[in-house]
Amino acid sequence: AQRVTQPEKLLSVFKGAPVELKCNYSYSGSPELFWYVQYSRQRLQLLLRHISRESIKGFTADLNKGETSFHLKKPFAQEEDSAMYYCALSGRSNYQLIWGAGTKLIIKP
Amino acid sequence: ETGVTQTPRHLVMGMTNKKSLKCEQHLGHNAMYWYKQSAKKPLELMFVYNFKEQTENNSVPSRFSPECPNSSHLFLHLHTLQPEDSALYLCASSQGLRAGETQYFGPGTRLLVL
Protein backbone atom coordinates (compact mmCIF):
# COMPACT_ATOMS: atom_id res chain seq x y z
CA ALA A 1 0.00 0.00 0.00
CA GLN A 2 1.15 3.53 -0.72
CA ARG A 3 1.36 5.46 2.48
CA VAL A 4 3.09 8.37 4.18
CA THR A 5 3.51 8.20 7.93
CA GLN A 6 4.40 11.05 10.21
CA PRO A 7 4.67 9.36 13.58
CA GLU A 8 4.63 12.52 15.67
CA LYS A 9 1.43 14.52 15.84
CA LEU A 10 3.13 17.13 17.99
CA LEU A 11 6.77 18.07 18.45
CA SER A 12 7.88 20.71 20.90
CA VAL A 13 11.47 21.95 21.13
CA PHE A 14 13.25 24.96 22.55
CA LYS A 15 14.52 27.78 20.38
CA GLY A 16 18.05 27.06 19.25
CA ALA A 17 17.70 23.30 19.64
CA PRO A 18 17.92 20.93 16.67
CA VAL A 19 14.68 19.82 15.05
CA GLU A 20 13.88 16.62 13.22
CA LEU A 21 10.41 15.90 11.87
CA LYS A 22 10.05 12.30 10.85
CA CYS A 23 8.49 11.03 7.66
CA ASN A 24 8.38 7.42 6.54
CA TYR A 25 6.83 6.19 3.38
CA SER A 26 5.69 3.04 1.66
CA TYR A 27 5.75 3.11 -2.12
CA SER A 28 6.40 0.43 -4.70
CA GLY A 29 8.13 2.60 -7.30
CA SER A 30 10.52 5.57 -7.27
CA PRO A 31 8.87 8.33 -5.30
CA GLU A 32 9.27 12.05 -5.23
CA LEU A 33 9.06 13.43 -1.72
CA PHE A 34 7.96 16.83 -0.53
CA TRP A 35 7.55 18.82 2.64
CA TYR A 36 4.70 21.32 2.78
CA VAL A 37 4.25 23.79 5.64
CA GLN A 38 1.32 25.74 7.02
CA TYR A 39 2.12 28.66 9.29
CA SER A 40 -0.54 30.06 11.58
CA ARG A 41 -3.27 31.85 9.59
CA GLN A 42 -1.45 31.18 6.34
CA ARG A 43 -2.13 28.73 3.56
CA LEU A 44 -0.43 25.44 2.93
CA GLN A 45 2.71 25.93 0.83
CA LEU A 46 5.62 23.94 -0.49
CA LEU A 47 8.70 24.05 1.72
CA LEU A 48 11.06 21.80 -0.18
CA ARG A 49 11.29 18.75 -2.42
CA HIS A 50 13.95 16.08 -2.34
CA ILE A 51 14.79 16.36 -6.01
CA SER A 52 15.95 19.95 -5.57
CA ARG A 53 18.43 19.07 -2.82
CA GLU A 54 18.11 22.58 -1.46
CA SER A 55 17.96 24.17 1.96
CA ILE A 56 14.95 26.37 2.59
CA LYS A 57 14.74 28.52 5.73
CA GLY A 58 17.56 26.40 7.13
CA PHE A 59 15.65 23.14 6.65
CA THR A 60 17.02 20.18 4.77
CA ALA A 61 15.64 16.74 4.05
CA ASP A 62 17.44 13.72 2.67
CA LEU A 63 15.71 10.87 0.95
CA ASN A 64 16.87 7.58 2.46
CA LYS A 65 15.62 4.85 0.19
CA GLY A 66 17.00 2.10 2.40
CA GLU A 67 15.01 3.28 5.39
CA THR A 68 12.19 4.71 3.22
CA SER A 69 12.41 7.96 5.11
CA PHE A 70 12.48 11.66 4.31
CA HIS A 71 13.04 13.37 7.63
CA LEU A 72 13.07 17.17 7.82
CA LYS A 73 15.90 18.68 9.82
CA LYS A 74 17.08 22.04 11.04
CA PRO A 75 20.12 22.45 13.28
CA PHE A 76 18.87 25.47 15.24
CA ALA A 77 15.13 26.02 15.55
CA GLN A 78 13.64 29.52 15.44
CA GLU A 79 10.33 30.63 16.89
CA GLU A 80 9.03 31.43 13.42
CA ASP A 81 9.40 27.75 12.51
CA SER A 82 6.32 26.94 14.58
CA ALA A 83 3.80 25.53 12.09
CA MET A 84 2.12 22.38 10.77
CA TYR A 85 4.42 20.33 8.57
CA TYR A 86 3.15 17.80 6.06
CA CYS A 87 5.18 15.20 4.24
CA ALA A 88 3.86 14.14 0.85
CA LEU A 89 4.82 11.72 -1.89
CA SER A 90 4.11 11.30 -5.58
CA GLY A 91 5.25 8.77 -8.08
CA ARG A 92 7.64 9.73 -10.88
CA SER A 93 4.82 9.29 -13.37
CA ASN A 94 1.87 10.22 -11.19
CA TYR A 95 1.01 13.74 -10.15
CA GLN A 96 -1.26 12.75 -7.27
CA LEU A 97 0.14 13.50 -3.85
CA ILE A 98 -0.17 11.06 -0.97
CA TRP A 99 -0.12 13.01 2.27
CA GLY A 100 0.94 12.33 5.81
CA ALA A 101 -1.32 13.45 8.66
CA GLY A 102 1.04 16.26 9.62
CA THR A 103 3.19 17.19 12.60
CA LYS A 104 2.59 20.31 14.62
CA LEU A 105 5.91 21.88 15.51
CA ILE A 106 6.04 24.24 18.46
CA ILE A 107 9.20 26.18 19.17
CA LYS A 108 9.36 27.32 22.76
CA PRO A 109 11.20 30.55 23.58
CA GLU B 1 -5.86 39.36 -5.57
CA THR B 2 -3.07 36.97 -6.43
CA GLY B 3 -2.77 33.27 -5.84
CA VAL B 4 -5.69 31.02 -5.05
CA THR B 5 -8.78 32.44 -3.39
CA GLN B 6 -11.70 30.61 -1.85
CA THR B 7 -15.13 31.79 -0.78
CA PRO B 8 -16.75 31.60 1.62
CA ARG B 9 -14.11 31.13 4.28
CA HIS B 10 -16.64 29.69 6.72
CA LEU B 11 -19.95 27.97 6.08
CA VAL B 12 -22.56 26.46 8.35
CA MET B 13 -25.31 24.49 6.69
CA GLY B 14 -28.08 22.11 7.56
CA MET B 15 -28.32 18.65 6.07
CA THR B 16 -31.11 19.71 3.73
CA ASN B 17 -29.39 22.84 2.43
CA LYS B 18 -27.73 23.38 -0.92
CA LYS B 19 -24.61 25.52 -1.01
CA SER B 20 -21.59 26.04 -3.23
CA LEU B 21 -17.92 26.61 -2.55
CA LYS B 22 -15.98 28.75 -4.98
CA CYS B 23 -12.30 28.70 -5.87
CA GLU B 24 -10.47 31.05 -8.19
CA GLN B 25 -6.83 30.98 -9.19
CA HIS B 26 -4.92 33.93 -10.60
CA LEU B 27 -1.76 32.04 -11.47
CA GLY B 28 -2.51 31.04 -15.04
CA HIS B 29 -2.54 27.37 -14.08
CA ASN B 30 -4.31 24.64 -15.98
CA ALA B 31 -5.03 22.15 -13.21
CA MET B 32 -7.24 22.59 -10.17
CA TYR B 33 -7.97 20.33 -7.22
CA TRP B 34 -10.42 19.91 -4.38
CA TYR B 35 -9.15 18.37 -1.15
CA LYS B 36 -10.89 17.50 2.09
CA GLN B 37 -8.94 18.02 5.29
CA SER B 38 -10.40 16.45 8.40
CA ALA B 39 -8.89 16.88 11.82
CA LYS B 40 -5.77 14.78 12.37
CA LYS B 41 -6.13 13.00 9.03
CA PRO B 42 -4.12 13.28 5.83
CA LEU B 43 -5.46 15.47 3.07
CA GLU B 44 -7.88 13.54 0.90
CA LEU B 45 -7.93 14.32 -2.79
CA MET B 46 -11.50 14.61 -4.02
CA PHE B 47 -11.46 15.90 -7.60
CA VAL B 48 -8.94 17.04 -10.18
CA TYR B 49 -9.56 19.09 -13.29
CA ASN B 50 -7.10 19.78 -16.08
CA PHE B 51 -8.03 22.25 -18.81
CA LYS B 52 -11.63 22.17 -17.46
CA GLU B 53 -11.87 18.42 -17.85
CA GLN B 54 -12.29 16.20 -14.81
CA THR B 55 -9.43 13.75 -14.57
CA GLU B 56 -9.99 12.31 -11.10
CA ASN B 57 -12.94 11.51 -8.90
CA ASN B 58 -11.65 9.65 -5.90
CA SER B 59 -14.86 7.80 -5.03
CA VAL B 60 -16.46 10.94 -3.71
CA PRO B 61 -20.16 10.66 -2.76
CA SER B 62 -22.55 12.22 -5.23
CA ARG B 63 -23.69 14.78 -2.66
CA PHE B 64 -20.48 16.59 -3.70
CA SER B 65 -20.70 17.87 -7.25
CA PRO B 66 -17.76 19.74 -8.82
CA GLU B 67 -17.94 22.20 -11.65
CA CYS B 68 -15.09 23.76 -13.60
CA PRO B 69 -16.36 26.32 -16.13
CA ASN B 70 -12.85 27.43 -17.08
CA SER B 71 -9.26 26.89 -15.98
CA SER B 72 -9.45 29.71 -13.44
CA HIS B 73 -12.61 28.77 -11.59
CA LEU B 74 -13.67 25.70 -9.67
CA PHE B 75 -16.85 25.12 -7.73
CA LEU B 76 -17.96 22.46 -5.31
CA HIS B 77 -21.73 22.15 -5.08
CA LEU B 78 -23.00 20.65 -1.85
CA HIS B 79 -26.41 19.13 -1.16
CA THR B 80 -27.86 16.88 1.52
CA LEU B 81 -24.57 16.67 3.35
CA GLN B 82 -23.95 14.66 6.49
CA PRO B 83 -22.37 15.86 9.74
CA GLU B 84 -19.28 13.77 8.95
CA ASP B 85 -18.72 16.01 5.93
CA SER B 86 -17.73 18.81 8.27
CA ALA B 87 -14.12 19.62 7.44
CA LEU B 88 -11.80 22.13 5.85
CA TYR B 89 -12.13 22.08 2.07
CA LEU B 90 -9.01 23.15 0.26
CA CYS B 91 -8.67 24.19 -3.33
CA ALA B 92 -5.31 24.00 -5.06
CA SER B 93 -3.91 24.62 -8.51
CA SER B 94 -0.82 23.64 -10.44
CA GLN B 95 0.62 24.48 -13.81
CA GLY B 96 -0.24 21.04 -15.12
CA LEU B 97 -0.46 17.44 -14.06
CA ARG B 98 3.15 16.37 -14.35
CA ALA B 99 4.65 14.40 -11.50
CA GLY B 100 6.27 16.66 -8.96
CA GLU B 101 4.38 19.80 -9.89
CA THR B 102 4.09 22.23 -7.03
CA GLN B 103 0.54 22.69 -5.86
CA TYR B 104 -0.60 26.12 -4.70
CA PHE B 105 -3.31 26.16 -2.09
CA GLY B 106 -6.12 28.47 -1.18
CA PRO B 107 -6.95 29.36 2.41
CA GLY B 108 -9.77 26.84 2.59
CA THR B 109 -13.45 26.88 3.46
CA ARG B 110 -14.28 25.66 6.96
CA LEU B 111 -17.57 23.75 6.61
CA LEU B 112 -19.83 22.74 9.47
CA VAL B 113 -22.82 20.55 8.73
CA LEU B 114 -25.48 20.53 11.42
Coordinates of all heavy atoms in Angstrom, one line a residue, chain A residues 4 9 32 34 36 38 41-46 49 51 84 86 90-102, chain B residues 1-5 33 35 37 40-43 45 48 55-56 58 90 97-107:
Chain A
V4 N 2.1 7.5 3.6 CA 3.1 8.4 4.2 C 2.7 8.4 5.7 O 1.6 8.7 6.0 CB 3.1 9.8 3.5 CG1 4.0 10.7 4.3 CG2 3.4 9.7 2.1
K9 N 2.5 13.5 16.1 CA 1.4 14.5 15.8 C 1.9 15.9 16.3 O 1.5 16.9 15.8 CB 0.1 14.1 16.5 CG -0.6 13.0 15.9 CD -1.9 12.7 16.5 CE -2.8 11.7 15.7 NZ -2.1 10.6 15.1
E32 N 8.8 10.7 -5.5 CA 9.3 12.1 -5.2 C 8.7 12.5 -3.9 O 7.5 12.3 -3.6 CB 8.8 13.0 -6.3 CG 9.5 12.7 -7.7 CD 9.5 13.9 -8.6 OE1 9.6 15.0 -8.1 OE2 9.4 13.7 -9.8
F34 N 8.1 15.4 -0.7 CA 8.0 16.8 -0.5 C 7.7 17.1 0.9 O 7.1 16.2 1.6 CB 6.7 17.4 -1.3 CG 6.7 17.0 -2.8 CD1 6.3 15.8 -3.2 CD2 7.2 17.9 -3.7 CE1 6.3 15.5 -4.5 CE2 7.2 17.6 -5.0 CZ 6.7 16.4 -5.5
Y36 N 5.5 20.1 2.8 CA 4.7 21.3 2.8 C 4.6 21.8 4.2 O 4.6 21.1 5.2 CB 3.3 21.0 2.2 CG 3.2 21.0 0.7 CD1 3.7 19.9 0.0 CD2 2.7 22.0 0.0 CE1 3.6 19.8 -1.4 CE2 2.6 22.0 -1.4 CZ 3.1 20.9 -2.1 OH 3.0 20.8 -3.5
Q38 N 2.4 24.8 6.8 CA 1.3 25.7 7.0 C 1.6 26.5 8.3 O 1.4 26.0 9.4 CB 0.0 25.0 7.1 CG -1.2 25.9 7.1 CD -2.5 25.2 6.9 OE1 -2.6 24.0 7.2 NE2 -3.5 25.9 6.4
R41 N -2.5 30.9 10.4 CA -3.3 31.8 9.6 C -2.7 32.1 8.2 O -3.0 33.1 7.5 CB -3.4 33.2 10.3 CG -4.4 33.1 11.5 CD -4.6 34.5 12.1 NE -3.5 35.0 12.9 CZ -3.2 34.6 14.1 NH1 -3.9 33.8 14.7 NH2 -2.1 35.1 14.7
Q42 N -1.9 31.1 7.7 CA -1.5 31.2 6.3 C -1.8 29.9 5.6 O -2.2 28.9 6.2 CB 0.1 31.4 6.3 CG 0.5 32.7 6.8 CD 2.0 32.9 6.6 OE1 2.6 32.5 5.6 NE2 2.6 33.7 7.5
R43 N -1.7 29.9 4.3 CA -2.1 28.7 3.6 C -1.0 27.7 3.5 O 0.2 28.0 3.7 CB -2.6 29.2 2.2 CG -1.6 29.9 1.4 CD -2.2 30.6 0.2 NE -3.2 31.6 0.6 CZ -4.1 32.2 -0.2 NH1 -4.2 31.8 -1.4 NH2 -4.9 33.1 0.2
L44 N -1.4 26.5 3.1 CA -0.4 25.4 2.9 C 0.5 25.8 1.7 O 0.0 26.2 0.7 CB -1.2 24.2 2.6 CG -0.5 22.8 2.6 CD1 0.1 22.5 4.0 CD2 -1.5 21.7 2.3
Q45 N 1.8 25.6 1.9 CA 2.7 25.9 0.8 C 3.9 25.0 0.8 O 4.2 24.4 1.8 CB 3.2 27.4 1.0 CG 3.9 27.6 2.3 CD 4.3 29.1 2.5 OE1 5.1 29.6 1.8 NE2 3.7 29.7 3.5
L46 N 4.5 24.8 -0.4 CA 5.6 23.9 -0.5 C 6.8 24.5 0.3 O 7.1 25.7 0.1 CB 6.0 23.8 -2.0 CG 7.2 22.9 -2.3 CD1 6.9 21.4 -1.9 CD2 7.6 23.0 -3.7
R49 N 11.5 20.1 -1.8 CA 11.3 18.7 -2.4 C 12.7 18.1 -2.5 O 13.7 18.8 -2.6 CB 10.7 18.9 -3.8 CG 11.6 19.7 -4.8 CD 11.0 19.8 -6.1 NE 9.9 20.8 -6.1 CZ 8.9 20.8 -6.9 NH1 8.7 19.8 -7.7 NH2 8.0 21.8 -6.8
I51 N 14.1 16.4 -4.7 CA 14.8 16.4 -6.0 C 15.6 17.6 -6.2 O 16.6 17.7 -6.9 CB 13.8 16.2 -7.2 CG1 14.5 15.6 -8.4 CG2 13.0 17.4 -7.5 CD1 13.5 15.1 -9.4
M84 N 2.5 23.8 11.1 CA 2.1 22.4 10.8 C 3.0 22.0 9.6 O 3.0 22.7 8.6 CB 0.6 22.2 10.4 CG -0.3 22.2 11.6 SD -0.1 20.7 12.6 CE -0.6 19.4 11.4
Y86 N 3.7 19.0 6.7 CA 3.1 17.8 6.1 C 4.2 17.2 5.1 O 4.7 17.9 4.3 CB 1.9 18.2 5.3 CG 0.7 18.7 6.1 CD1 0.6 20.0 6.4 CD2 -0.2 17.8 6.7 CE1 -0.5 20.5 7.2 CE2 -1.2 18.2 7.4 CZ -1.4 19.6 7.7 OH -2.4 20.0 8.5
S90 N 4.8 11.6 -4.3 CA 4.1 11.3 -5.6 C 5.0 10.4 -6.3 O 6.2 10.3 -6.1 CB 3.8 12.6 -6.4 OG 5.0 13.0 -7.0
G91 N 4.5 9.6 -7.2 CA 5.3 8.8 -8.1 C 5.9 9.6 -9.2 O 5.6 10.7 -9.4
R92 N 6.9 9.0 -9.8 CA 7.6 9.7 -10.9 C 6.7 10.0 -12.1 O 7.0 10.8 -12.9 CB 8.9 8.9 -11.3 CG 10.0 8.9 -10.2 CD 10.6 10.2 -10.0 NE 11.5 10.3 -8.9 CZ 12.8 10.0 -9.0 NH1 13.3 9.6 -10.2 NH2 13.6 10.0 -7.9
S93 N 5.7 9.1 -12.2 CA 4.8 9.3 -13.4 C 3.4 9.6 -12.9 O 2.5 9.4 -13.7 CB 4.9 8.0 -14.2 OG 4.5 6.9 -13.5
N94 N 3.2 10.0 -11.7 CA 1.9 10.2 -11.2 C 1.9 11.5 -10.4 O 2.6 11.7 -9.4 CB 1.4 9.1 -10.3 CG 0.0 9.2 -9.9 OD1 -0.6 10.2 -9.9 ND2 -0.6 8.0 -9.5
Y95 N 1.0 12.4 -10.8 CA 1.0 13.7 -10.1 C 0.3 13.7 -8.8 O 0.5 14.6 -8.0 CB 0.3 14.8 -11.0 CG -1.2 14.4 -11.2 CD1 -2.1 14.9 -10.3 CD2 -1.6 13.6 -12.3 CE1 -3.5 14.6 -10.5 CE2 -2.9 13.3 -12.4 CZ -3.9 13.8 -11.5 OH -5.2 13.5 -11.7
Q96 N -0.5 12.7 -8.5 CA -1.3 12.7 -7.3 C -0.4 12.6 -6.0 O 0.6 11.8 -6.0 CB -2.3 11.6 -7.2 CG -3.4 11.8 -8.2 CD -4.6 10.9 -7.9 OE1 -4.8 10.5 -6.7 NE2 -5.3 10.4 -8.9
L97 N -0.6 13.5 -5.1 CA 0.1 13.5 -3.9 C -0.5 12.6 -2.8 O -1.7 12.7 -2.6 CB 0.3 14.9 -3.3 CG 1.2 15.9 -4.1 CD1 1.1 17.3 -3.5 CD2 2.6 15.4 -4.0
I98 N 0.3 11.8 -2.1 CA -0.2 11.1 -1.0 C 0.4 11.8 0.2 O 1.6 12.0 0.3 CB 0.3 9.6 -1.0 CG1 -0.2 9.0 -2.3 CG2 -0.1 8.8 0.2 CD1 0.5 7.7 -2.6
W99 N -0.5 12.1 1.2 CA -0.1 13.0 2.3 C 0.0 12.3 3.6 O -0.7 11.3 3.9 CB -1.2 14.1 2.4 CG -1.3 15.0 1.3 CD1 -2.0 14.8 0.1 CD2 -0.7 16.3 1.2 NE1 -1.9 15.9 -0.7 CE2 -1.1 16.8 -0.1 CE3 0.1 17.1 2.0 CZ2 -0.7 18.1 -0.6 CZ3 0.5 18.3 1.5 CH2 0.1 18.8 0.3
G100 N 0.9 12.7 4.4 CA 0.9 12.3 5.8 C -0.1 13.2 6.6 O -0.6 14.1 6.1
A101 N -0.3 12.8 7.8 CA -1.3 13.5 8.7 C -0.8 14.8 9.3 O -1.6 15.5 9.8 CB -1.8 12.5 9.8
G102 N 0.5 15.0 9.2 CA 1.0 16.3 9.6 C 1.6 16.2 11.0 O 1.2 15.3 11.8
Chain B
E1 N -6.6 40.2 -6.5 CA -5.9 39.4 -5.6 C -5.1 38.3 -6.3 O -5.5 37.8 -7.3 CB -6.8 38.7 -4.6 CG -6.2 38.0 -3.5 CD -7.1 37.5 -2.4 OE1 -8.3 38.0 -2.4 OE2 -6.7 36.7 -1.6
T2 N -3.9 38.0 -5.8 CA -3.1 37.0 -6.4 C -3.3 35.6 -5.8 O -3.9 35.5 -4.7 CB -1.6 37.4 -6.3 OG1 -1.3 37.5 -4.9 CG2 -1.3 38.7 -7.0
G3 N -2.8 34.6 -6.4 CA -2.8 33.3 -5.8 C -4.1 32.6 -6.0 O -4.8 32.8 -7.0
V4 N -4.5 31.8 -5.0 CA -5.7 31.0 -5.0 C -6.6 31.6 -4.0 O -6.2 31.6 -2.8 CB -5.4 29.5 -4.8 CG1 -6.7 28.7 -4.8 CG2 -4.4 29.0 -5.8
T5 N -7.8 31.9 -4.4 CA -8.8 32.4 -3.4 C -10.0 31.5 -3.3 O -10.3 30.8 -4.2 CB -9.3 33.8 -3.8 OG1 -9.9 33.7 -5.1 CG2 -8.2 34.8 -3.9
Y33 N -7.7 21.5 -8.1 CA -8.0 20.3 -7.2 C -8.9 20.7 -6.1 O -8.9 21.9 -5.6 CB -6.7 19.8 -6.5 CG -5.5 19.6 -7.4 CD1 -4.8 20.7 -8.0 CD2 -5.0 18.3 -7.6 CE1 -3.6 20.5 -8.7 CE2 -3.9 18.1 -8.4 CZ -3.2 19.2 -8.9 OH -2.1 19.0 -9.7
Y35 N -9.6 19.3 -2.2 CA -9.1 18.4 -1.2 C -10.1 18.5 0.0 O -10.6 19.6 0.3 CB -7.7 18.7 -0.6 CG -6.6 18.3 -1.5 CD1 -6.0 19.2 -2.4 CD2 -6.0 17.1 -1.4 CE1 -4.9 18.9 -3.2 CE2 -4.9 16.7 -2.1 CZ -4.4 17.6 -3.0 OH -3.3 17.3 -3.8
Q37 N -9.9 18.2 4.2 CA -8.9 18.0 5.3 C -9.7 17.9 6.6 O -10.3 18.9 7.0 CB -8.0 19.2 5.4 CG -6.9 19.0 6.4 CD -5.9 20.2 6.5 OE1 -6.2 21.3 6.1 NE2 -4.7 19.8 6.9
K40 N -6.7 15.8 12.1 CA -5.8 14.8 12.4 C -5.7 13.7 11.3 O -5.3 12.5 11.6 CB -6.0 14.2 13.8 CG -5.9 15.2 14.9 CD -6.3 14.7 16.2 CE -6.2 15.8 17.3 NZ -6.6 15.4 18.6
K41 N -6.2 14.0 10.1 CA -6.1 13.0 9.0 C -5.4 13.6 7.9 O -5.3 14.8 7.7 CB -7.5 12.7 8.5 CG -8.4 11.8 9.5 CD -9.7 11.4 8.8 CE -10.5 10.5 9.6 NZ -11.8 10.2 8.9
P42 N -4.8 12.8 7.0 CA -4.1 13.3 5.8 C -5.1 14.0 4.9 O -6.3 13.6 4.9 CB -3.5 12.0 5.2 CG -3.5 11.0 6.2 CD -4.7 11.3 7.1
L43 N -4.6 14.9 4.1 CA -5.5 15.5 3.1 C -6.0 14.4 2.1 O -5.3 13.5 1.7 CB -4.7 16.5 2.2 CG -4.6 17.9 2.7 CD1 -3.8 18.1 4.0 CD2 -4.1 18.8 1.6
L45 N -7.6 13.7 -1.5 CA -7.9 14.3 -2.8 C -9.3 13.9 -3.2 O -9.7 12.7 -3.1 CB -6.9 13.8 -3.8 CG -7.1 14.3 -5.2 CD1 -6.9 15.8 -5.3 CD2 -6.1 13.6 -6.2
V48 N -10.0 16.3 -9.4 CA -8.9 17.0 -10.2 C -9.5 17.4 -11.6 O -10.2 16.6 -12.2 CB -7.7 16.2 -10.4 CG1 -6.6 17.0 -11.1 CG2 -7.2 15.7 -9.0
T55 N -10.3 14.9 -14.4 CA -9.4 13.7 -14.6 C -9.5 12.8 -13.4 O -9.0 11.6 -13.5 CB -8.0 14.2 -14.8 OG1 -7.6 15.0 -13.6 CG2 -7.9 15.1 -16.0
E56 N -9.9 13.2 -12.3 CA -10.0 12.3 -11.1 C -11.3 12.6 -10.3 O -11.7 13.7 -10.1 CB -8.8 12.5 -10.2 CG -7.5 12.2 -10.7 CD -7.3 10.7 -10.9 OE1 -8.0 9.9 -10.2 OE2 -6.4 10.3 -11.7
N58 N -12.1 10.7 -6.8 CA -11.7 9.6 -5.9 C -12.8 9.1 -5.1 O -12.8 9.3 -3.8 CB -10.5 10.2 -5.0 CG -9.2 10.1 -5.8 OD1 -9.1 9.7 -6.9 ND2 -8.1 10.6 -5.1
L90 N -10.1 22.4 0.9 CA -9.0 23.2 0.3 C -9.0 23.0 -1.2 O -9.2 21.9 -1.8 CB -7.6 22.6 0.8 CG -7.3 22.9 2.2 CD1 -6.0 22.1 2.6 CD2 -7.2 24.3 2.5
L97 N -0.3 18.7 -14.8 CA -0.5 17.4 -14.1 C 0.8 16.6 -14.2 O 0.7 15.3 -14.2 CB -1.7 16.7 -14.5 CG -3.0 17.3 -14.2 CD1 -4.2 16.4 -14.6 CD2 -3.2 17.6 -12.7
R98 N 1.9 17.2 -14.3 CA 3.1 16.4 -14.4 C 3.5 16.0 -12.9 O 3.2 16.7 -12.0 CB 4.3 17.2 -15.0 CG 4.1 17.4 -16.5 CD 5.2 18.4 -17.0 NE 5.0 19.7 -16.3 CZ 5.8 20.7 -16.6 NH1 6.8 20.6 -17.4 NH2 5.6 21.9 -16.0
A99 N 4.2 14.8 -12.8 CA 4.6 14.4 -11.5 C 5.6 15.4 -10.9 O 6.4 16.0 -11.6 CB 5.4 13.1 -11.6
G100 N 5.4 15.7 -9.6 CA 6.3 16.7 -9.0 C 5.9 18.1 -9.1 O 6.6 19.0 -8.6
E101 N 4.8 18.4 -9.8 CA 4.4 19.8 -9.9 C 4.0 20.4 -8.5 O 3.4 19.7 -7.7 CB 3.1 19.9 -10.8 CG 3.4 19.6 -12.2 CD 3.3 20.8 -13.1 OE1 3.5 21.9 -12.6 OE2 2.9 20.6 -14.3
T102 N 4.4 21.6 -8.3 CA 4.1 22.2 -7.0 C 2.6 22.6 -7.1 O 2.1 23.1 -8.1 CB 4.9 23.5 -6.8 OG1 6.3 23.1 -6.8 CG2 4.5 24.2 -5.5
Q103 N 1.9 22.3 -6.0 CA 0.5 22.7 -5.9 C 0.4 23.9 -5.0 O 1.1 24.0 -4.0 CB -0.3 21.5 -5.3 CG -0.3 20.3 -6.2 CD -1.2 19.2 -5.7 OE1 -2.1 19.4 -4.9 NE2 -1.0 18.0 -6.3
Y104 N -0.4 24.9 -5.4 CA -0.6 26.1 -4.7 C -2.0 26.1 -4.1 O -3.0 25.9 -4.8 CB -0.4 27.3 -5.7 CG 1.0 27.4 -6.2 CD1 1.4 26.6 -7.2 CD2 1.9 28.3 -5.6 CE1 2.7 26.7 -7.7 CE2 3.2 28.4 -6.0 CZ 3.6 27.6 -7.1 OH 4.9 27.7 -7.6
F105 N -2.1 26.3 -2.8 CA -3.3 26.2 -2.1 C -4.0 27.5 -1.8 O -3.4 28.5 -1.6 CB -3.0 25.4 -0.8 CG -2.8 24.0 -1.0 CD1 -1.5 23.5 -1.3 CD2 -3.8 23.0 -0.8 CE1 -1.2 22.2 -1.5 CE2 -3.5 21.7 -1.0 CZ -2.3 21.2 -1.4
G106 N -5.3 27.4 -1.7 CA -6.1 28.5 -1.2 C -6.2 28.4 0.3 O -5.7 27.4 0.9
P107 N -6.9 29.3 1.0 CA -6.9 29.4 2.4 C -8.0 28.4 3.0 O -7.9 28.1 4.2 CB -7.4 30.8 2.7 CG -8.1 31.2 1.5 CD -7.5 30.5 0.4

